[in-house]
Amino acid sequence: MGEGDSFNQISRILGVAHSTISREINHHIPDNFHGIYCHCLISKQAKETCYNTKNLCISERTKMFIHECLSTHTSPNMVSQKLALKHDILLS
């Protein structure tokens, strides 16, 4: 893979859908970013986010809500969206 490769070229090399490449790149690029995508910067950001979330305290009420959702086979993505909408909790 090289500079300037398209999402389609990258997806063929990695064996995934081009929409997956697009979604992952767009998910990890800050809104105010207007430069060249740098995987080193994004990896560092992801590690910092992961480190920060390890220190997150979740209330018993929230844990029960998550458990109820998962016990009814609700997808983790939907659980995350429900937490954001109903409880104003951002969790992925």
Side-chain angles (χ1 to χ4, degrees):
M1 288 184 285
E3 186 176 328
D5 285 347
S6 71
F7 292 160
N8 285 332
Q9 291 169 316
I10 296 169
S11 69
R12 275 194 298 275
I13 292 168
L14 296 177
V16 298
H18 75 279
S19 59
T20 302
I21 303 299
S22 172
R23 182 175 49 253
E24 286 301 312
I25 289 174
N26 290 329
H27 176 75
H28 295 290
I29 293 177
D31 292 337
N32 61 353
F33 181 78
H34 298 291
I36 297 173
Y37 176 80
C38 173
H39 71 88
C40 294
L41 172 66
I42 301 308
S43 295
K44 181 181 174 190
Q45 263 185 317
K47 285 179 185 175
E48 288 174 5
T49 301
C50 182
Y51 175 78
N52 291 337
T53 53
K54 286 180 183 175
N55 299 324
L56 179 68
C57 294
I58 300 174
S59 72
E60 287 302 315
R61 180 175 161 236
T62 303
K63 287 179 186 179
M64 287 178 61
F65 177 79
I66 293 170
H67 179 73
E68 285 175 24
C69 288
L70 293 176
S71 68
T72 59
H73 303 285
T74 305
S75 74
N77 190 38
M78 286 300 296
V79 174
S80 179
Q81 290 177 11
K82 287 181 179 185
L83 284 170
L85 291 173
K86 293 182 179 182
H87 301 281
D88 199 31
I89 296 173
L90 299 177
L91 187 67
S92 62

